[in-house]
Amino acid sequence: MNFNLTQIPERTQQPRTHGLTMVMDKGLSLEEARNFLSASSPYVDIVKLGFGTSFVTPNLRQKIELYQAANIPVYFGGTLFEAFLIRNQFDDYIKVCEDYGIKHVEVSDGSIIIPHAEKCGYIEKMAKIATVFSEVGSKDAEHIIPPYKWIELMSAELSAGATYVIAEARESGNVGIYRGSGEVREGLVQEILTQIPAEKIIWEAPQKAQQLYFLELVGCNANLGNLAPYEVISLEAMRVGLRGDTFQLFLDKE
């Protein structure tokens, strides 16, 4: 930190196992990625190349190498995994990850239907060669999954070898653990936390109100995902009580 302040909550240090900030890169140029890293790299733990953007991103290899040189894991969005899978190209997906030096993967079924036992099989296979993030929840706003099912799916996917489970929200934050308005489905979230450790869940939370909810509920070291690159510093300030929304959160109440 740049100067001393008392009553600042203790943040986990890189490389973190919890208190993660996952950033979604939806098409930054190489220069934009460099600028983003120069401003925010101490607070970035994972970069996701959003949905299927990797297929059409110019200078993809150079961008991946840029993130890797900063010791920040980078991985392809789950939609790309599903695009390979639905075309019966799972082995090709593995080869692409190996070719680009990708050591983290996302296994998801937000856009296609995969029998859950089969999904867990993919997690088990991938966990032998990479760190697996498995995403739970549908991108279809009409597909409402009851809380007990979220818990059942998350538990099974962690048992299959996923290091973290990602609670689906899309990049807009209006499905899955959120209502269409972006409001948190609080009962769902709190029920999930009765059975699944908070340290093992990455909450997709692109909106400030959503980030605030999880910081108040879980604490400053909540795992948060789908952050826009330019919001990382703002989030870190909010994590440690230096933004109006959390200013009173960590102060001594005596």
Side-chain angles (χ1 to χ4, degrees):
M1 299 302 118
N2 294 319
F3 30 78
N4 180 56
L5 276 176
T6 62
Q7 300 182 54
I8 297 295
E10 186 175 350
R11 285 283 279 126
T12 51
Q13 299 297 308
Q14 289 178 320
R16 298 180 180 92
T17 57
H18 66 286
L20 304 176
T21 295
M22 181 267 276
V23 171
M24 181 182 280
D25 176 341
K26 298 192 290 185
L28 295 179
S29 69
L30 286 178
E31 194 58 36
E32 288 170 331
R34 287 191 188 95
N35 290 340
F36 154 55
L37 289 173
S38 71
S40 306
S41 61
Y43 309 112
V44 178
D45 302 291
I46 320 160
V47 170
K48 172 164 64 174
L49 304 177
F51 32 100
T53 55
S54 302
F55 185 73
V56 296
T57 295
N59 304 309
L60 176 63
R61 192 175 301 277
Q62 293 96 313
K63 182 189 280 192
I64 290 171
E65 290 173 350
L66 186 66
Y67 288 132
Q68 291 171 336
N71 295 315
I72 295 174
V74 56
Y75 70 101
F76 301 132
T79 301
L80 188 69
F81 165 78
E82 295 177 47
F84 273 88
L85 198 62
I86 202 168
R87 292 167 173 83
N88 297 313
Q89 291 182 259
F90 176 71
D91 290 342
D92 291 336
Y93 180 76
I94 298 293
K95 291 175 184 174
V96 168
C97 290
E98 291 174 344
D99 180 40
Y100 283 91
I102 298 295
K103 304 295 186 183
H104 293 68
V105 297
E106 182 176 318
V107 176
S108 66
D109 56 354
S111 298
I112 63 175
I113 296 173
I114 308 172
H116 196 242
E118 184 178 329
K119 182 183 180 185
C120 288
Y122 288 120
I123 293 169
E124 189 173 348
K125 290 177 184 176
M126 300 290 271
K128 294 175 181 177
I129 59 173
T131 298
V132 176
F133 304 114
S134 67
E135 189 173 67
V136 177
S138 175
K139 289 178 169 56
D140 182 356
E142 302 302 317
H143 185 203
I144 303 298
I145 302 173
Y148 82 90
K149 193 66 177 177
W150 280 83
I151 293 168
E152 182 182 298
L153 297 174
M154 286 180 165
S155 180
E157 292 174 23
L158 288 169
S159 295
T163 300
Y164 299 96
V165 286
I166 300 173
E168 170 71 76
R170 301 193 74 172
E171 71 275 11
S172 52
N174 60 1
V175 298
I177 54 172
Y178 305 111
R179 297 183 173 89
S181 63
E183 180 186 1
V184 179
R185 295 173 61 196
E186 294 188 38
L188 167 63
V189 167
Q190 292 175 25
E191 192 160 344
I192 288 171
L193 286 170
T194 65
Q195 301 295 323
I196 308 297
E199 293 83 1
K200 289 292 185 179
I201 306 171
I202 298 176
W203 308 97
E204 292 189 338
Q207 298 180 26
K208 185 181 78 167
Q210 297 165 353
Q211 297 156 19
L212 175 61
Y213 174 81
F214 287 107
L215 295 179
E216 290 178 333
L217 181 67
V218 177
C220 71
N221 289 308
N223 298 324
L224 300 176
N226 283 13
L227 267 290
Y230 57 85
E231 292 182 344
V232 170
I233 295 295
S234 297
L235 171 62
E236 193 63 27
M238 188 156 67
R239 282 188 185 275
V240 297
L242 295 176
R243 190 168 179 172
D245 309 89
T246 56
F247 191 84
Q248 300 290 335
L249 193 57
F250 305 110
L251 293 177
D252 293 340
K253 299 301 189 287
E254 296 179 0

